[in-house]
Amino acid sequence: MSFSSTSLFRSLPSHLATSILLNSNSPKLQSPILMSLPQNRSSFHRQLNRSITKAPPNSSAFIRPNLTVRASSKTPSATADAKLIAISSAVTITFAVANRVLYKLALVPMKEYPFFLAQFTTFGYVVIYFSILFIRYRAGIVTNEMLGLPKSRFAAIGMLEALGVASGMASAAMLPGPAIPILNQTFLVWQLVFSAVLLGRRYSFNQIGGCLLVAVGVIIAVTSGSDTGQMLSGIKFMWPGLMIISAAFQAGASIIKEFIFLDAAKRLNAKSLDIFVVNSFGSGFQALFVLLLLPLLSNLKGIPFSELPSYLKSGAACFLKLGGCEGAPLLPLLYIVTNMAFNISVLNLLKVSSAIVASLTVTLSVPISIYILSLPLPYLPDGSSLSPFFLFGSLILMTGLILYNIAQPSKEDSKSD
């Protein structure tokens, strides 16, 4: 707010000028001000009233003794939101990189039991998330209104994520390794489509072009100049198509999460929905659908369903280092804790920004993780060299992120009512 002090002092008699400083909060000015007040209080009020200028009818300002108070054209909330998104993005990138690196390290002792590790995290998170949700409910952070949100949306999230896992496993078993990260980049495209259709968002040319550049950059960085021209030769079209559908399932789940936050802001009278409500119920329904698909999932991983109990028992023994698995249980536990922190940070970033911004942020972690994994690490002493194509792809990825964020509208402007 701006105060027109010079015009104010000109408009009042000289013996009243110092009385305007009554608005000051400075204790050093209060004594002289009180001393300058006229002894005749009634004459003081008459003179002060005569000096007051009424504001025009259509004016948005309040004017007293030529003192103009105007609202600033700059919105502090927009700046605060931008800082919050930047901080949340930095935290998410950090956990995303740590999550990828620690997953690779966790597979050193658990190299024979990746399916056990995946199911352990899926079902273990349900217990942990609901325990945290209960604590936050008892503390008054989570309200009954939050818990009363429609559960059908959380069921849809769980079903889509479980179907994404199942279809991804089925297609990955039939596809060459380098093709998988390339096909997974359709995730961003699906998010753009679903966001426009379901949320009514509109994206500029910069944003669409930025997303495409990010996808191209990841493809170049991951393949690192390998001969990918004929990698899908001899592969039936249904398998890469199934991988693309898997990305669509995951993208749909992320857009529904964003819709839940948007809808909850209206239902809860602008109260912020606690992210553990989404995490808990989403994970719970995902575990339910994974349990229903467990026979299919185990067979896709080459484990007959009849042998699954003995496999899980052996995996638990390895996890607890009862079977001579060097690095357990420290490395798997570090991965589980980091993975949980990563999931929470991604959902928080989605809440304060959008699903697209969260995906782009996570995508940035891919080349960073590849670079770190190319270095000698504990339990992975053999490093690897990176080709110039990796740096070229990383540069394209960064260019896409910059392009996406040029003239990025605020969160409130980009969201539909």
Side-chain angles (χ1 to χ4, degrees):
M1 294 186 289
S2 59
F3 297 88
S4 180
S5 57
T6 56
S7 61
L8 167 62
F9 274 76
R10 286 197 300 268
S11 67
L12 295 179
S14 58
H15 70 282
L16 292 177
T18 55
S19 67
I20 301 302
L21 295 177
L22 280 168
N23 290 328
S24 173
N25 293 325
S26 174
K28 295 180 180 179
L29 297 175
Q30 290 176 0
S31 297
I33 290 170
L34 294 175
M35 292 174 63
S36 65
L37 288 174
Q39 298 298 323
N40 191 338
R41 299 298 179 89
S42 60
S43 64
F44 167 72
H45 287 297
R46 285 196 301 271
Q47 296 180 50
L48 182 59
N49 289 334
R50 284 197 300 269
S51 65
I52 294 177
T53 303
K54 293 185 178 181
N58 297 328
S59 174
S60 61
F62 298 94
I63 305 176
R64 289 179 175 82
N66 287 343
L67 176 62
T68 304
V69 182
R70 299 183 185 275
S72 173
S73 59
K74 297 180 180 179
T75 56
S77 60
T79 304
D81 286 345
K83 290 181 179 180
L84 178 61
I85 292 174
I87 294 173
S88 300
S89 297
V91 172
T92 300
I93 291 174
T94 302
F95 281 125
V97 173
N99 179 66
R100 290 178 181 273
V101 173
L102 286 173
Y103 178 69
K104 185 69 173 179
L105 291 174
L107 288 180
V108 172
M110 303 291 295
K111 61 182 178 181
E112 300 296 333
Y113 305 101
F115 186 71
F116 167 83
L117 186 61
Q119 304 317 307
F120 182 81
T121 55
T122 298
F123 293 96
Y125 287 173
V126 176
V127 177
I128 296 174
Y129 282 143
F130 272 101
S131 299
I132 297 175
L133 181 65
F134 177 75
I135 294 172
R136 294 173 74 84
Y137 176 74
R138 294 294 299 271
I141 301 174
V142 175
T143 63
N144 290 325
E145 290 80 6
M146 295 180 186
L147 297 179
L149 292 175
K151 301 301 184 295
S152 58
R153 297 167 184 172
F154 299 110
I157 292 173
M159 181 184 67
L160 289 173
E161 290 183 339
L163 290 174
V165 170
S167 56
M169 280 187 178
S171 56
M174 305 300 296
L175 292 172
I180 296 174
I182 295 176
L183 295 172
N184 278 335
Q185 298 314 305
T186 57
F187 178 83
L188 273 174
V189 179
W190 284 117
Q191 276 194 322
L192 286 172
V193 173
F194 291 150
S195 180
V197 173
L198 300 178
L199 302 182
R201 293 185 184 276
R202 295 296 177 264
Y203 294 97
S204 66
F205 174 79
N206 286 353
Q207 293 173 313
I208 296 174
C211 286
L212 294 178
L213 279 179
V214 167
V216 171
V218 171
I219 292 172
I220 295 176
V222 170
T223 56
S224 295
S226 61
D227 183 14
T228 59
Q230 301 297 323
M231 70 168 55
L232 295 179
S233 61
I235 304 294
K236 293 183 179 179
F237 177 76
M238 65 171 293
W239 300 118
L242 191 59
M243 180 61 73
I244 293 174
I245 292 175
S246 170
F249 287 141
Q250 300 288 347
S254 69
I255 296 300
I256 293 177
K257 290 178 183 179
E258 184 177 355
F259 175 78
I260 287 175
F261 282 116
L262 292 173
D263 184 64
K266 300 176 183 178
R267 290 174 176 266
L268 303 176
N269 297 323
K271 289 183 180 179
S272 178
L273 176 63
D274 191 81
I275 60 175
F276 283 97
V277 175
V278 181
N279 260 347
S280 300
F281 287 103
S283 298
F285 280 108
Q286 181 186 2
L288 174 63
F289 284 105
V290 166
L291 184 63
L292 296 176
L293 296 173
L294 201 56
L296 172 64
L297 296 176
S298 62
N299 283 317
L300 290 174
K301 298 301 291 184
I303 306 168
F305 187 67
S306 59
E307 299 178 8
L308 185 59
S310 60
Y311 170 85
L312 295 177
K313 182 178 179 181
S314 301
C318 179
F319 183 87
L320 298 174
K321 202 179 179 179
L322 301 178
C325 298
E326 189 64 29
L330 177 61
L331 293 179
L333 285 176
L334 284 176
Y335 162 70
I336 291 172
V337 172
T338 305
N339 182 255
M340 183 179 301
F342 165 66
N343 289 329
I344 294 172
S345 66
V346 169
L347 190 58
N348 181 68
L349 179 58
L350 184 151
K351 175 183 176 181
V352 301
S353 59
S354 68
I356 302 293
V357 172
S359 297
L360 291 173
T361 302
V362 173
T363 303
L364 180 59
S365 69
V366 174
I368 300 175
S369 304
I370 293 175
Y371 171 74
I372 293 177
L373 289 171
S374 69
L375 303 175
L377 297 173
Y379 299 97
L380 294 173
D382 299 329
S384 60
S385 59
L386 299 174
S387 73
F389 285 94
F390 173 79
L391 299 177
F392 180 60
S394 300
L395 180 62
I396 293 178
L397 187 151
M398 291 299 300
T399 303
L401 290 175
I402 294 172
L403 182 62
Y404 181 88
N405 286 282
I406 290 177
Q408 173 91 313
S410 65
K411 181 183 175 184
E412 288 80 4
D413 294 337
S414 63
K415 287 184 178 179
S416 58
D417 293 330

